[in-house]
Amino acid sequence: MTVRVRFAPSPTGMFHVGGARSALQNWIYAKQHSGAFVLRIEDTDAARNRPEWTEGILNALDWIGIARGTYEGPYFQSANAGEHRAAAEKLYAAGRAYYCDCTREDVQARTGSQYQGYDGFCRDRGLTAGPGRALRFRTPDEGLTVVVDLIRGEPTWENKLLEDFVIARGDGSPVFLLANVVDDMTQGITHVIRAEEHLPNTPKQQLLWDALGVKPPIWAHVPVVVNEKRQKLSKRRDKVALEAYRDEGYLADTMRNYLMLLGWAPSGNREIVPWSVIEEEFRLEEVNPSPAFFDEKKLRAFNGEYIRALDAAAFSAACQPWLTGTETIPPPPWRPEDFDPAAFAAVAPLAQTRIAVLSEIVPNVDFLFVPSPEIDEASWSKAMKDGAADLLDAAAAAFGALPSWDAESLKGALEAVGAARDLKLGKAQAPVRVAVTGRSVGLPLFESLVVLGKERTLARIEAARARLI
């Protein structure tokens, strides 16, 4: 058997990190078995679909290494509408489905409960197709439906407990359950690897496969991804868009590595490993069925490790979108003509060891490329207390008298200024840092002053001194 897997997102919003994890798992499984990865865009929800969401899916897959041209598709579910309707008609003709005109209110009135499922009222009424009449699948009254799942074993359902579910709406359009099955049949899908949330649909879909005379696929339902409160990640509540992490400055390698750890782990008590190791070692059968915690703090720490592992050229290249701006990343606060590549190259190694996401490069280096720093008022209030004006005066005088503008000389001069006022270096440099960079935290001060230059350093200290008057 040639393994054929599919990833079938809907273009109705940003690309969910849980979807990205499923895509990667399908991608690896196909590669491990010399199989095919099929991308199918489930675009039948015309009211919510937008072309830019489809392009966003393709861009997101490109970013995590599932590049266009290396898989089958994208196919569009809407193009298969004829096959969907044909399957519904086949099931009706075979007596495996029937028409029903019951409303939700009708069912509730008969059962006395808003929670009870459909009661089979129309099973033997012999209704034909007509406006407002949905087509329901006739589930077996006896027996069991056993699902072979590579992660969860063999979940089993009693058929008599499965309601007769709708497979086509009153207007004749097939619903997700049927369309999904028909598409998988048409595209020869052998393994369905998808999120746990679809598990309740699986016995119904397996019954459809059987009724249509085709052997069901092998299933694998990967664990749901949850937040720190162990709630399923929600677009309304949680940060779930893969694009948001990309534009914040997470590396693709980081994200791929971390997503694959949601429910699985490589050998040797390791977490940060090369992608080649993941491709070799990943096994669907080893995925833990328990909910997987998406820990953003851990992801951030991972990203810092990946950033520090870059060589100088790769780090500089990775920072470029934030140094210039893109369609999705806002431009930096300096004018393009004021950016100095040599100055950036000088401080880049200092920044590389301190940032955890690439977007943090901007507040670390912006003081070099703007006419004057934007002052953080909280930092100013904390640093510019009594005695700050005198210290700035003394620091400017000491810096101005230096014969050599280097980090050691600058440090020695400020240490002397602080010692004369019974201040340790950390206290003495706080007003100088805020005066020069606008913030109380940032790159090593004296190395920064070297790159900024003597003239601009003294001018900024003077400007801060004037503000204190």
Side-chain angles (χ1 to χ4, degrees):
M1 177 179 63
T2 299
V3 168
R4 291 178 59 81
V5 301
R6 50 78 164 172
F7 179 59
S10 299
T12 56
M14 303 296 276
F15 194 58
H16 197 291
V17 292
R21 189 229 3 213
S22 294
L24 288 170
Q25 291 170 330
N26 276 280
W27 178 252
I28 291 178
Y29 193 82
K31 290 192 70 174
Q32 288 177 336
H33 295 83
S34 300
F37 176 97
V38 176
L39 175 62
R40 183 172 74 232
I41 306 297
E42 301 201 329
D43 62 338
T44 52
D45 188 350
R48 297 175 61 205
N49 294 340
R50 285 158 51 183
E52 57 266 37
W53 295 137
T54 296
E55 185 62 24
I57 291 170
L58 300 178
N59 288 337
L61 291 175
D62 284 341
W63 185 62
I64 57 174
I66 304 176
R68 293 175 231 212
T70 62
Y71 50 77
E72 288 189 26
Y75 300 120
F76 291 86
Q77 189 172 67
S78 56
N80 214 18
E83 286 80 358
H84 301 160
R85 290 180 180 271
E89 293 169 0
K90 179 179 179 180
L91 292 170
Y92 174 68
R96 300 302 302 270
Y98 60 91
Y99 285 99
C100 170
D101 61 2
C102 296
T103 65
R104 186 180 300 275
E105 290 74 22
D106 292 337
V107 176
Q108 185 174 337
R110 288 196 300 267
T111 62
S113 170
Q114 61 178 318
Y115 304 108
Q116 187 169 328
Y118 181 66
D119 58 357
F121 180 78
C122 291
R123 263 193 165 202
D124 301 312
R125 292 178 64 198
L127 298 178
T128 57
R133 293 180 177 178
L135 187 63
R136 290 184 179 274
F137 182 77
R138 187 188 298 269
T139 58
D141 296 322
E142 300 177 347
L144 303 173
T145 294
V146 180
V147 171
V148 177
D149 192 298
L150 294 179
I151 296 172
R152 300 173 188 279
E154 295 186 354
T156 302
W157 286 263
E158 291 187 68
N159 291 332
K160 66 181 181 181
L161 299 180
L162 298 174
E163 69 173 5
D164 290 352
F165 52 91
V166 173
I167 58 175
R169 303 175 184 88
D171 62 1
S173 61
V175 301
F176 162 80
L177 286 173
L178 180 62
N180 194 264
V181 166
V182 173
D183 290 344
D184 284 345
M185 289 179 181
T186 303
Q187 293 164 358
I189 303 304
T190 63
H191 294 70
V192 173
I193 304 166
R194 60 185 183 179
E196 177 187 357
E197 64 194 66
H198 293 290
L199 184 59
N201 294 328
T202 307
K204 300 175 182 179
Q205 290 184 308
Q206 183 156 305
L207 287 171
L208 287 172
W209 281 81
D210 291 335
L212 290 168
V214 182
K215 182 181 178 181
I218 296 172
W219 309 92
H221 288 88
V222 299
V224 65
V225 182
V226 298
N227 63 18
E228 60 186 3
K229 296 181 180 179
R230 298 306 187 267
Q231 301 167 320
K232 179 186 171 184
L233 284 187
S234 165
K235 292 181 180 180
R236 295 181 179 87
R237 180 185 57 238
D238 303 303
K239 179 180 171 184
V240 301
L242 188 71
E243 299 94 326
Y245 288 99
R246 178 195 63 198
D247 292 347
E248 189 177 341
Y250 285 86
L251 297 171
D253 286 346
T254 303
M255 185 59 72
R256 293 200 304 174
N257 187 162
Y258 184 72
L259 288 175
M260 289 302 296
L261 298 181
L262 297 177
W264 175 82
S267 64
N269 198 29
R270 300 173 295 170
E271 291 187 311
I272 297 179
V273 294
W275 184 247
S276 58
V277 171
I278 294 176
E279 285 189 322
E280 180 182 348
E281 294 191 0
F282 176 72
R283 297 291 182 272
L284 267 177
E285 296 84 352
E286 296 175 0
V287 171
N288 190 324
S290 300
F293 172 34
F294 189 91
D295 187 345
E296 191 173 344
K297 292 180 180 177
K298 185 174 183 178
L299 173 62
R300 180 182 171 86
F302 267 42
N303 204 56
E305 292 289 335
Y306 269 92
I307 286 175
R308 288 187 285 277
L310 296 174
D311 62 35
F315 176 69
S316 180
C319 289
Q320 288 307 306
W322 289 268
L323 301 178
T324 59
T326 68
E327 290 184 1
T328 58
I329 297 172
W334 57 79
R335 299 182 305 174
E337 60 268 28
D338 291 335
F339 180 74
D340 182 350
F344 177 75
V347 298
L350 304 175
Q352 186 174 359
T353 62
R354 288 166 171 78
I355 65 174
V357 291
L358 293 172
S359 58
E360 292 174 348
I361 193 64
V362 173
N364 272 278
V365 305
D366 59 356
F367 72 96
L368 291 170
F369 311 122
V370 293
S372 59
E374 180 179 348
I375 301 297
D376 174 67
E377 294 300 330
S379 298
W380 179 274
S381 298
K382 185 176 181 180
M384 302 303 184
K385 296 181 178 178
D386 292 344
D390 171 63
L391 188 143
L392 289 175
D393 285 338
F399 289 167
L402 288 175
S404 175
W405 192 258
D406 61 80
E408 284 302 314
S409 297
L410 289 163
K411 179 181 178 183
L414 192 55
E415 280 180 326
V417 168
R421 290 158 180 77
D422 293 325
L423 296 175
K424 292 184 178 180
L425 181 59
K427 292 289 186 181
Q429 71 178 6
V432 176
R433 178 184 290 278
V434 173
V436 173
T437 70
R439 301 180 180 88
S440 58
V441 295
L443 305 183
L445 177 61
F446 304 110
E447 288 83 352
S448 298
L449 298 185
V450 171
V451 178
L452 185 64
K454 186 173 186 177
E455 181 179 344
R456 287 202 291 170
T457 296
L458 295 179
R460 291 184 181 187
I461 292 175
E462 175 57 31
R465 177 68 181 84
R467 182 177 174 179
L468 285 170
I469 296 176

